[in-house]
Amino acid sequence: MMNLIILISLTLFSTTIHAATFEVVNRCSYTVWAAAIPGGGKRLDSGQIWTINVPSGTTTGRIWGRTNCSFDGNGLGKCETGDCNKTLQCQGFGSAPNTLAEYALNQIDDLDLLDISLVDGFNIPMDFSPSTYGCRGIRCAADINGQCPDEWRSPGGCNNACTIYKTSKYCNANYFTKFFKELCPDAYSYPQDDESSLFTAPGGTNYRVTFSTFEVVNRCSYTVWAAAIPGGGKRLDSGQRWTLNVPSGTTSGRIWGRTNCIFDGNGFGKCETGDCNKTLQCQDFGSPPNTLAEYALNQFDDLDFLDISLVDGFNIPMDFSPTTYGCRGIRCAADINGQCPDELQVAGGCNNPCTVFKTNEYCCTDRSGSCGPTNFSKFLKDRCPDAYSYPLDDESSTFTAPGGTNYRVTFCP
């Protein structure tokens, strides 16, 4: 499922051939009204769980998320996206737009059939993955809402062209369905998109749908062009926010800020610091100097690993903190630019010594043990004890949080 901050974790546990148990978990920072056929519906505040028992042989099973709902004490009301006849307990399918997890259990050769569908449009990012048998999972975590063509936009989501125009031209493969397919290759983009979008797993498989959400906030008095891998990039004026939905299992994730940028209408240009190949939508890491938030999700023992790194230098003060579970955050907010040693000073930031001197002493290219703290790394460590100050500074600079945690990266905390 999909949208800005939403993080829904759905886990399906097939306990016997007679039934399957679906565990629906909301790990978003906001409320989601989960919906299921069969199953009904339930309000899930952040961190809450809903368990559904589904009979073996079920066909046309669906799970989706509804957003911005209001229901009275009798369960009557409405939702901005995914509404099912204005009731909390869904008896029918949801209204477009809504991202769908679809399944049929114990079908031909005792296989489960599963897919993510954008035929009804998109409202919340989704990952739908078996957690047993090593089967391939399905994912749709792109920023479809943010990139949605104007004609398809609706409050809270992005419609499918078929929903809007209702003609065969738009309900079959066409230029418009390519928009969805290019952003989410795994997902159904039109009703007959079976060949590339229908997946199978052995009957009795367990499944998991999981997302982590990163909220990027600019509290600087100036504009920051935020950048993320995965995620792309976005201009953030003072006070603005950008929400990223990052798939479970992501490694080498990065978020940073770029300063003094100029981009044309096609998103091409350059930045004084943190530039990523002269594009607004980053597909590669930024050029030094840039303060980095780094992370890897759902690693050993289902832990997230996170750090703030100054290995690529410093350009913007940063805070990198979990917004759930009450875990310890990381911060580097010292005036490093103002106190930067002369040798490392550059326009807009404070460079790292590896970029300047290009020797093993500072770059640790030979990791045999000859590389360690230097006067320059001590300058950084004294001002930001939480942050990586040189490439092998792991012991004091890597932090963990439980898998499924949501995070906030704040510029100028």
Side-chain angles (χ1 to χ4, degrees):
M1 305 185 173
M2 132 185 201
N3 196 301
L4 292 180
I5 308 181
I6 213 159
L7 193 163
I8 298 183
S9 171
L10 288 73
T11 308
L12 306 136
F13 295 105
S14 296
T15 52
T16 73
I17 197 169
H18 303 294
T21 299
F22 288 66
E23 186 180 66
V24 184
V25 184
N26 178 20
R27 290 185 179 151
C28 302
S29 60
Y30 52 88
T31 298
V32 173
W33 285 260
I37 299 293
K42 187 175 179 66
R43 172 184 171 133
L44 295 180
D45 293 327
S46 183
Q48 289 187 326
I49 299 172
W50 177 37
T51 301
I52 311 166
N53 295 300
V54 179
S56 172
T58 293
T59 59
T60 64
R62 290 187 172 196
I63 297 175
W64 70 99
R66 295 169 288 176
T67 59
N68 295 326
C69 301
S70 177
F71 293 105
D72 62 21
N74 296 315
L76 302 178
K78 61 181 180 179
C79 299
E80 185 176 64
T81 66
D83 191 83
C84 57
N85 296 323
K86 304 188 186 309
T87 62
L88 173 61
Q89 297 298 327
C90 295
Q91 302 300 315
F93 296 160
S95 59
N98 61 90
T99 320
L100 284 171
E102 300 181 308
Y103 63 89
L105 303 180
N106 310 100
Q107 301 300 301
I108 301 170
D109 296 327
D110 195 30
L111 289 175
D112 295 347
L113 309 180
L114 52 147
D115 68 76
I116 288 177
S117 174
L118 305 182
V119 172
D120 284 349
F122 178 100
N123 67 335
I124 305 169
M126 177 184 283
D127 181 285
F128 188 10
S129 298
S131 57
T132 53
Y133 298 107
C135 302
R136 182 189 188 288
I138 322 168
R139 178 173 295 168
C140 181
D143 181 24
I144 290 181
N145 286 345
Q147 301 179 48
C148 185
D150 291 341
E151 316 91 279
W152 306 350
R153 288 182 186 275
S154 66
C158 184
N159 270 310
N160 191 298
C162 179
T163 302
I164 297 173
Y165 304 116
K166 300 180 175 65
T167 66
S168 59
K169 175 182 177 181
Y170 297 103
C171 295
N172 292 305
N174 58 69
Y175 170 81
F176 298 97
T177 61
K178 291 179 182 177
F179 165 76
F180 287 115
K181 203 65 178 178
E182 288 175 356
L183 291 175
C184 287
D186 286 347
Y188 269 84
S189 60
Y190 67 97
Q192 305 304 319
D193 190 14
D194 296 85
E195 186 174 346
S196 64
S197 306
L198 185 63
F199 298 83
T200 62
T205 297
N206 298 334
Y207 301 91
R208 180 172 296 114
V209 179
T210 306
F211 274 93
S212 284
T213 299
F214 287 73
E215 182 182 44
V216 184
V217 183
N218 180 19
R219 290 192 179 146
C220 301
S221 59
Y222 49 87
T223 298
V224 173
W225 285 260
I229 300 293
K234 188 174 179 65
R235 173 182 172 138
L236 296 179
D237 293 329
S238 183
Q240 289 187 326
R241 297 166 183 261
W242 178 34
T243 302
L244 302 169
N245 295 283
V246 180
S248 171
T250 294
T251 59
S252 64
R254 289 188 172 196
I255 297 171
W256 70 99
R258 295 167 289 176
T259 60
N260 295 326
C261 301
I262 299 176
F263 293 106
D264 64 20
N266 296 314
F268 296 107
K270 61 180 180 179
C271 299
E272 185 175 63
T273 65
D275 191 82
C276 58
N277 294 327
K278 305 188 186 308
T279 62
L280 173 61
Q281 296 297 328
C282 294
Q283 304 298 318
D284 204 353
F285 296 161
S287 58
N290 59 91
T291 320
L292 280 173
E294 300 180 309
Y295 61 88
L297 303 181
N298 309 99
Q299 302 301 301
F300 307 106
D301 298 324
D302 197 30
L303 289 174
D304 295 347
F305 291 81
L306 50 147
D307 68 76
I308 288 178
S309 174
L310 305 182
V311 172
D312 282 350
F314 178 98
N315 66 337
I316 304 174
M318 177 184 286
D319 184 278
F320 185 12
S321 294
T323 58
T324 50
Y325 298 108
C327 301
R328 181 188 187 285
I330 322 168
R331 176 170 291 197
C332 181
D335 181 24
I336 290 179
N337 288 345
Q339 302 173 39
C340 184
D342 291 343
E343 304 95 313
L344 305 183
Q345 287 183 5
V346 293
C350 185
N351 232 327
N352 69 88
C354 175
T355 299
V356 175
F357 302 114
K358 299 180 175 61
T359 65
N360 182 65
E361 178 184 6
Y362 301 111
C363 299
C364 301
T365 49
D366 174 8
R367 302 204 168 200
S368 61
S370 59
C371 181
T374 65
N375 287 336
F376 290 121
S377 70
K378 290 175 182 176
F379 161 79
L380 298 172
K381 201 69 175 177
D382 287 344
R383 285 154 183 79
C384 289
D386 286 345
Y388 267 84
S389 59
Y390 70 98
L392 300 183
D393 190 14
D394 297 86
E395 187 173 345
S396 64
S397 306
T398 301
F399 298 83
T400 61
T405 298
N406 296 333
Y407 298 96
R408 180 179 296 115
V409 174
T410 304
F411 301 124
C412 301

